[in-house]
């Protein structure tokens, strides 16, 4: 991200919340602490976000991956070649997820503790599932994909990549002999071979 003096008030508060909540837990941090860490008063935090939970939920909406993944399609980075596209989607997914590690850890730790938070954290994966399902459907219509259940293939692709991300979430690689890049290359190759007519 750009230098902190170029960040908006909202971004400073959101990033401070992510840092502190990932470190101390949602209940272990006060709104006063978050505001102070960002260089603002608690009053500013409440005026902008209303509550600590709303602040956290806004952070998820602002920094999660659905918007960036949608851009791949809207900005015509997708070339309608299964192998190239799945590599791009997979690399983009891991880049965003790794950038947002602290947020993912918060979602895992806190989803049962905050009312409505699970629904909020599921919003982006559901959007990605829709994007990928549409992609696989269109690839089938173009004659570039075998007849298959596009939603099931989209979910399989997502779960495979999410599993790889989760494997390295705590920074201790469980499978140190396999790099992320090698995993992306091999898994995409397998997917491509299985689904190409």
């Amino acid at each position: 991200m750009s230098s902190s003096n170029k960040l908006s008030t909202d971004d400073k508060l959101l990033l401070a919340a992510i840092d502190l909540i990932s470190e101390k837990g949602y209940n272990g941090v006060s709104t006063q602490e978050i505001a102070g860490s960002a260089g603002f008063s608690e009053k500013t935090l409440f005026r902008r976000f209303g509550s600590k939970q709303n602040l956290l939920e806004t952070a998820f909406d602002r920094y999660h991956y659905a918007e960036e993944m949608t851009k791949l399609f809207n900005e015509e980075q997708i070339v309608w070649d299964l192998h190239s596209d799945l590599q791009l989607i997979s690399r983009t997914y891991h880049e965003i997820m790794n950038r947002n590690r602290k947020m993912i850890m918060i979602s895992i730790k806190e989803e049962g503790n905050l009312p409505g938070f699970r629904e909020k954290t599921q919003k982006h994966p559901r959007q990605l599932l829709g994007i990928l399902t549409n992609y696989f459907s269109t690839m089938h219509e173009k004659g570039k994909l075998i007849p298959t259940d596009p939603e099931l293939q989209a979910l399989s692709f997502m779960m495979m990549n999410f599993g790889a991300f989760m494997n390295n979430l705590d920074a201790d690689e469980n499978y140190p002999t396999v790099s992320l890049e090698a995993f992306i290359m091999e898994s995409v190759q397998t997917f491509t071979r299985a689904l190409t007519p």
Side-chain angles (χ1 to χ4, degrees), residues 26-40:
Y26 182 81
N27 292 325
V29 112
S30 69
T31 50
Q32 189 170 9
E33 233 180 312
I34 294 167
S37 174
F40 299 102

Side-chain angles (χ1 to χ4, degrees), residues 171-191:
D172 296 319
E173 291 188 13
N174 293 323
Y175 304 100
T177 57
V178 179
S179 70
L180 177 60
E181 183 58 25
F183 164 78
I184 290 171
M185 297 289 284
E186 188 63 30
S187 62
V188 166
Q189 184 62 43
T190 302
F191 236 80

Side-chain angles (χ1 to χ4, degrees), residues 43-176:
K43 190 176 177 180
T44 300
L45 185 153
F46 282 118
R47 193 169 54 244
R48 289 179 137 19
F49 297 101
S51 70
K52 183 166 60 167
Q53 183 167 340
N54 195 44
L55 175 67
L56 183 57
E57 288 176 358
T58 302
F60 269 79
D61 278 345
R62 179 81 54 95
Y63 300 116
H64 223 307
Y65 57 70
E67 188 177 323
E68 284 185 66
M69 295 304 263
T70 304
K71 280 183 188 173
L72 292 181
F73 292 83
N74 293 346
E75 295 176 2
E76 297 178 3
Q77 293 177 55
I78 295 298
V79 295
W80 304 105
D81 171 78
L82 192 61
H83 188 261
S84 300
D85 292 343
L86 292 183
Q87 279 191 342
L88 175 65
I89 292 165
S90 192
R91 284 192 184 108
T92 303
Y93 174 86
H94 285 286
E95 179 188 312
I96 297 165
M97 292 292 277
N98 281 306
R99 189 171 65 221
N100 292 326
R101 292 172 89 83
K102 289 179 180 178
M103 232 169 37
I104 307 306
M105 291 176 93
I106 292 168
S107 72
I108 292 165
K109 289 180 193 169
E110 304 292 348
E111 77 173 358
N113 301 333
L114 301 170
F117 190 58
R118 181 172 172 73
E119 291 74 24
K120 200 68 152 173
T121 61
Q122 290 300 309
K123 177 181 153 190
H124 292 274
R126 285 193 189 107
Q127 285 177 318
L128 180 57
L129 179 62
I131 291 166
L132 288 173
T133 300
N134 289 339
Y135 171 75
F136 285 127
S137 294
T138 304
M139 285 295 281
H140 178 257
E141 289 164 15
K142 289 176 178 283
K144 297 182 176 186
L145 200 74
I146 62 169
T148 186
D149 180 335
E151 186 177 44
L152 187 56
Q153 294 305 333
L155 187 62
S156 299
F157 190 73
M158 282 176 63
M159 290 298 107
M160 177 179 69
N161 280 286
F162 183 66
F165 168 75
M166 289 299 290
N167 175 62
N168 296 331
L169 183 60
D170 59 6
D172 296 319
E173 291 188 13
N174 293 323
Y175 304 100

